[in-house]
Amino acid sequence: MSISEVTPQTASIVPDERRLEFLPTLFGRSLLMIGENAVYSLMERLSPLDYGGGFWDFYEHEGKPLFLAPRSKSRFRITGEITGFQGEVSAEAVGIIATLFAFSHLSFQHQSEHLSEGYGRLYAYSADHPEASEIFQAID
């Protein structure tokens, strides 16, 4: 009998040729601009000391869109006023946090299956993320 080690599955960066379809698939066509802007605005509030704009990578898992993450730095300090969490996380983790917040905030204003499905998919993915503890503390 052998014991196999379970490795967490990781998200992959969406290739350039499929970037145009990422946001409409993640947020829905009617909310793609609102959703994208919500993520960027929330990021400014989450990490005002480290975030100053820049290029974002789009991540998917098993062919489904998950989250956006900034490429400008590898680590970000979360000190903003929208969460009681204070700490430093990877760019991927802060992107997950900002995207989860965007799904949540937008769901109060818009009825959309894209928002609820996207939130559920990303929340479930986050449970196996190496920084799951920090992600869940930040969104709590």
Side-chain angles (χ1 to χ4, degrees):
M1 181 169 131
S2 68
I3 300 174
S4 61
E5 192 174 311
V6 177
T7 16
Q9 296 182 357
T10 57
S12 57
I13 295 175
V14 173
D16 287 343
E17 62 271 11
R18 290 195 292 113
R19 281 181 65 89
L20 287 177
E21 285 305 310
F22 179 83
L23 292 170
T25 306
L26 184 66
F27 293 113
R29 292 216 181 272
S30 65
L31 295 176
L32 75 98
M33 294 298 291
I34 294 168
E36 182 181 30
N37 287 331
V39 173
Y40 301 154
S41 296
L42 287 160
M43 184 63 192
E44 288 173 350
R45 294 174 58 200
L46 282 166
S47 188
L49 300 175
D50 291 332
Y51 179 68
F55 189 82
W56 286 61
D57 287 316
F58 298 160
Y59 286 83
E60 65 184 0
H61 179 63
E62 297 178 348
K64 296 186 178 178
L66 275 180
F67 63 95
L68 298 74
R71 190 189 283 182
S72 57
K73 296 181 78 163
S74 61
R75 310 275 306 162
F76 289 85
R77 292 169 289 175
I78 296 177
T79 59
E81 80 275 2
I82 61 174
T83 179
F85 176 74
Q86 301 270 329
E88 186 177 291
V89 297
S90 68
E92 187 173 303
V94 81
I96 291 170
I97 293 164
T99 306
L100 283 168
F101 270 122
F103 281 134
S104 178
H105 286 285
L106 292 173
S107 71
F108 288 104
Q109 302 164 3
H110 305 277
Q111 292 289 330
S112 168
E113 287 184 24
H114 287 279
L115 297 176
S116 57
E117 289 173 5
Y119 184 91
R121 189 170 50 248
L122 183 52
Y123 190 91
Y125 172 81
S126 300
D128 289 330
H129 192 275
E131 294 173 273
S133 175
E134 291 86 351
I135 291 167
F136 290 126
Q137 286 178 58
I139 65 168
D140 186 22

